Amino acid sequence: IFSTWVHEMCHGLAALLTGGGIKELFVYPDGSGLAYTWTTGENWKRAFVASGGYVGTALLGGILLLFRRTHRGPTIGLIGIACAILLTVAMYVRNGFAIGILIAMALVLLLCTWKLKARLVAYLYSFLAATCSFNAFTTIKQLFAPGQGYVNGNPVYSDAHTVAEYAGGTYIMWATIWMVFAIVMSTIGLLLAFDGRTYKKGQQAQSSGGDYYMYNQDQQVSAPQVHVQSNSEIPLATVVDVTPY
């Protein structure tokens, strides 16, 4: 359901980018969905909107995966996703099932960011990022189907057929391009993630080691070091005053 919502919203965002707009969004219990959008009518704009679902979902999934190891990325990401869900429900979602399930999903995400430990929040965030990134794989049967697929039990042609109609080529060519793009974005997100937690632990370990350094542009300044003598060498009335920077 989550990846379907992202998929349909990416169709809508593609329409907005081409100067069009979003009329209605529908998400159904079988995991299918529909986005009713409008553009000014040029074929390339229609093809761009039709390709926005798989391309946008893979792109968003890859970006989310990049921040899964950062300190605040998962928490901020889940809050942002929940707010985006509630905003789209208020503006575009029109069927009762989608309204109920999406509102519940948004509230659960907000509750998880509030109550769960950071490690569990990161797991949940990574799971949602992966469902976006692998959207082309989870719908591979419909993507490469030679005929019509089904949305809420009604026969429809896939996005690949629509792009082939307006931009040329074959539906298999476009489905393959989207599949490869999903693989590339997933690989980038998994292998090149920003490792903010490891960096922070390294900084803490370096600071607790006694000697640390502050950097100001290209100049390295050594922090003051305090050497404590043994008890037998320090007079009882001695007061050590260390003035910080």
Side-chain angles (χ1 to χ4, degrees), residues 49-195:
V49 173
S51 65
Y54 286 105
V55 173
T57 305
L59 181 62
L60 177 62
I63 293 173
L64 291 176
L65 285 173
L66 286 175
F67 292 93
R68 72 185 189 279
R69 292 180 179 175
T70 58
H71 181 59
R72 299 187 183 276
T75 299
I76 295 174
L78 291 184
I79 293 175
I81 290 171
C83 292
I85 290 175
L86 294 175
L87 181 63
T88 56
V89 167
M91 297 179 65
Y92 304 119
V93 178
R94 292 295 176 263
N95 63 315
F97 169 80
I99 292 174
I101 197 69
L102 289 176
I103 289 178
M105 184 183 300
L107 295 179
V108 168
L109 291 179
L110 291 175
L111 183 63
C112 288
T113 59
W114 179 33
K115 290 294 186 180
L116 294 182
K117 295 181 179 179
R119 179 169 56 87
L120 297 178
V121 170
Y123 288 156
L124 177 59
Y125 172 88
S126 298
F127 171 75
L128 294 180
T131 60
C132 286
S133 189
F134 296 127
N135 178 245
F137 297 95
T138 58
T139 58
I140 188 172
K141 184 177 180 180
Q142 179 181 351
L143 194 59
F144 285 92
Q148 293 179 323
Y150 292 90
V151 173
N152 195 33
N154 300 313
V156 295
Y157 283 105
S158 69
D159 293 337
H161 285 87
T162 304
V163 175
E165 178 182 353
Y166 291 114
T170 65
Y171 75 92
I172 293 179
M173 180 190 78
W174 289 108
T176 303
I177 290 174
W178 297 339
M179 183 71 69
V180 171
F181 183 72
I183 293 174
V184 171
M185 290 307 303
S186 300
T187 303
I188 291 175
L190 291 171
L191 299 182
L192 302 180
F194 302 119
D195 203 356

Side-chain angles (χ1 to χ4, degrees), residues 199-220:
Y199 174 79
K200 184 177 180 180
K201 289 180 180 179
Q203 291 294 96
Q204 292 175 344
Q206 187 178 15
S207 299
S208 62
D211 296 335
Y212 61 95
Y213 297 92
M214 296 185 301
Y215 290 86
N216 182 12
Q217 295 180 354
D218 295 332
Q219 182 180 5
Q220 178 176 305

Side-chain angles (χ1 to χ4, degrees), residues 25-62:
L25 295 179
F26 294 86
V27 178
Y28 299 106
D30 62 357
S32 61
L34 280 175
Y36 289 92
T37 62
W38 62 271
T39 64
T40 53
E42 292 90 335
N43 285 346
W44 73 268
K45 290 184 178 180
R46 293 178 178 177
F48 183 79
V49 173
S51 65
Y54 286 105
V55 173
T57 305
L59 181 62
L60 177 62

